[in-house]
Tab-separated table of all heavy atoms in Angstrom:
chain	number	residue	atom	x	y	z
D	74	LEU	N	2.349	5.586	-5.601
D	74	LEU	CA	3.053	4.670	-6.632
D	74	LEU	C	3.966	5.544	-7.447
D	74	LEU	O	3.392	6.609	-8.021
D	74	LEU	CB	1.999	4.000	-7.601
D	74	LEU	CG	2.660	3.195	-8.632
D	74	LEU	CD1	3.274	1.875	-7.973
D	74	LEU	CD2	1.552	2.712	-9.664
D	80	ARG	N	8.921	9.512	-10.843
D	80	ARG	CA	7.803	10.399	-10.908
D	80	ARG	C	6.533	9.852	-10.200
D	80	ARG	O	6.380	8.633	-10.374
D	80	ARG	CB	7.424	10.571	-12.440
D	80	ARG	CG	6.297	11.561	-12.790
D	80	ARG	CD	6.199	11.677	-14.228
D	80	ARG	NE	6.241	10.405	-15.021
D	80	ARG	CZ	5.040	9.890	-15.487
D	80	ARG	NH1	3.961	10.437	-15.398
D	80	ARG	NH2	5.219	8.640	-16.187
D	81	GLU	N	5.793	10.667	-9.567
D	81	GLU	CA	4.616	10.090	-8.971
D	81	GLU	C	3.519	9.829	-9.906
D	81	GLU	O	3.148	10.660	-10.737
D	81	GLU	CB	4.016	11.178	-8.000
D	81	GLU	CG	2.851	10.755	-7.092
D	81	GLU	CD	2.430	11.810	-6.070
D	81	GLU	OE1	3.100	12.148	-5.179
D	81	GLU	OE2	1.324	12.414	-6.373
D	82	LEU	N	3.050	8.522	-10.009
D	82	LEU	CA	2.079	8.015	-10.917
D	82	LEU	C	0.760	8.102	-10.389
D	82	LEU	O	-0.287	8.450	-11.078
D	82	LEU	CB	2.348	6.627	-11.428
D	82	LEU	CG	3.640	6.352	-12.171
D	82	LEU	CD1	3.836	4.797	-12.445
D	82	LEU	CD2	3.651	7.254	-13.489
D	83	ALA	N	0.526	7.791	-9.149
D	83	ALA	CA	-0.797	7.721	-8.640
D	83	ALA	C	-0.772	7.753	-7.040
D	83	ALA	O	0.227	7.342	-6.415
D	83	ALA	CB	-1.419	6.460	-8.970
D	84	VAL	N	-1.776	8.258	-6.432
D	84	VAL	CA	-1.923	8.136	-5.035
D	84	VAL	C	-3.403	7.661	-4.766
D	84	VAL	O	-4.295	7.836	-5.480
D	84	VAL	CB	-1.801	9.548	-4.346
D	84	VAL	CG1	-0.379	10.135	-4.634
D	84	VAL	CG2	-2.854	10.543	-4.602
D	104	ILE	N	-2.575	1.039	-7.517
D	104	ILE	CA	-2.185	0.222	-8.673
D	104	ILE	C	-3.042	0.441	-9.864
D	104	ILE	O	-2.549	0.640	-10.934
D	104	ILE	CB	-2.222	-1.246	-8.229
D	104	ILE	CG1	-0.966	-1.446	-7.226
D	104	ILE	CG2	-2.029	-2.118	-9.372
D	104	ILE	CD1	-0.993	-2.794	-6.547
D	105	ARG	N	-4.422	0.534	-9.571
D	105	ARG	CA	-5.334	0.652	-10.750
D	105	ARG	C	-5.109	2.029	-11.342
D	105	ARG	O	-5.078	2.033	-12.640
D	105	ARG	CB	-6.775	0.556	-10.154
D	105	ARG	CG	-7.348	-0.804	-9.768
D	105	ARG	CD	-8.728	-0.669	-9.271
D	105	ARG	NE	-9.094	-1.916	-8.719
D	105	ARG	CZ	-10.119	-2.086	-7.972
D	105	ARG	NH1	-10.782	-0.958	-7.476
D	105	ARG	NH2	-10.565	-3.294	-7.536
D	106	ARG	N	-4.956	3.048	-10.632
D	106	ARG	CA	-4.746	4.346	-11.158
D	106	ARG	C	-3.409	4.511	-11.866
D	106	ARG	O	-3.273	5.169	-12.946
D	106	ARG	CB	-4.803	5.413	-10.089
D	106	ARG	CG	-6.256	5.507	-9.569
D	106	ARG	CD	-6.331	6.465	-8.355
D	106	ARG	NE	-7.636	6.468	-7.785
D	106	ARG	CZ	-7.976	6.790	-6.584
D	106	ARG	NH1	-7.058	7.358	-5.784
D	106	ARG	NH2	-9.200	6.774	-6.071
D	107	GLY	N	-2.423	3.841	-11.313
D	107	GLY	CA	-0.926	3.958	-11.867
D	107	GLY	C	-0.854	3.218	-13.218
D	107	GLY	O	-0.038	3.629	-14.003
D	108	VAL	N	-1.537	2.082	-13.339
D	108	VAL	CA	-1.482	1.412	-14.624
D	108	VAL	C	-1.815	2.180	-15.750
D	108	VAL	O	-1.253	2.120	-16.744
D	108	VAL	CB	-2.377	0.055	-14.552
D	108	VAL	CG1	-2.663	-0.510	-15.876
D	108	VAL	CG2	-1.798	-0.937	-13.687
D	109	ASP	N	-2.864	3.115	-15.672
D	109	ASP	CA	-3.121	3.984	-16.803
D	109	ASP	C	-2.140	4.891	-17.085
D	109	ASP	O	-2.038	5.273	-18.332
D	109	ASP	CB	-4.496	4.772	-16.271
D	109	ASP	CG	-5.745	3.928	-16.120
D	109	ASP	OD1	-5.706	2.750	-16.791
D	109	ASP	OD2	-6.571	4.334	-15.377
D	110	LYS	N	-1.281	5.286	-16.136
D	110	LYS	CA	-0.293	6.384	-16.443
D	110	LYS	C	1.149	5.779	-16.768
D	110	LYS	O	1.885	6.454	-17.423
D	110	LYS	CB	-0.110	7.211	-15.171
D	110	LYS	CG	-1.309	8.059	-14.954
D	110	LYS	CD	-1.132	9.020	-13.878
D	110	LYS	CE	-2.369	9.797	-13.548
D	110	LYS	NZ	-2.215	10.665	-12.394
D	111	HIS	N	1.332	4.458	-16.439
D	111	HIS	CA	2.604	3.969	-16.607
D	111	HIS	C	3.026	3.595	-18.011
D	111	HIS	O	4.134	3.863	-18.463
D	111	HIS	CB	2.814	2.671	-15.740
D	111	HIS	CG	4.166	1.908	-15.755
D	111	HIS	ND1	5.223	2.704	-15.500
D	111	HIS	CD2	4.378	0.647	-16.098
D	111	HIS	CE1	6.304	1.789	-15.624
D	111	HIS	NE2	5.741	0.637	-15.965
D	112	GLY	N	2.159	3.175	-18.694
D	112	GLY	CA	2.323	2.870	-20.246
D	112	GLY	C	2.815	1.565	-20.650
D	112	GLY	O	3.228	1.386	-21.695
D	113	ASP	N	2.993	0.624	-19.686
D	113	ASP	CA	3.554	-0.682	-19.966
D	113	ASP	C	2.342	-1.569	-19.723
D	113	ASP	O	2.527	-2.613	-18.946
D	113	ASP	CB	4.720	-1.009	-19.199
D	113	ASP	CG	5.426	-2.299	-19.663
D	113	ASP	OD1	5.083	-2.801	-20.769
D	113	ASP	OD2	6.112	-2.950	-18.866
D	114	ALA	N	1.215	-1.430	-20.355
D	114	ALA	CA	0.106	-2.282	-20.129
D	114	ALA	C	-0.217	-2.332	-18.636
D	114	ALA	O	-0.374	-1.291	-17.914
D	114	ALA	CB	0.205	-3.606	-20.808
D	117	LEU	N	3.750	-3.108	-13.748
D	117	LEU	CA	4.454	-1.902	-13.053
D	117	LEU	C	5.853	-2.223	-12.733
D	117	LEU	O	6.360	-1.878	-11.673
D	117	LEU	CB	3.554	-1.617	-11.931
D	117	LEU	CG	2.190	-1.092	-12.179
D	117	LEU	CD1	1.393	-0.869	-10.871
D	117	LEU	CD2	2.076	0.089	-13.026
Side-chain angles (χ1 to χ4, degrees):
L74 181 69
R80 181 176 52 101
E81 186 177 289
L82 295 176
V84 300
I104 288 168
R105 287 178 185 162
R106 293 171 185 165
V108 164
D109 292 337
K110 295 182 182 175
H111 182 53
D113 187 19
L117 296 174

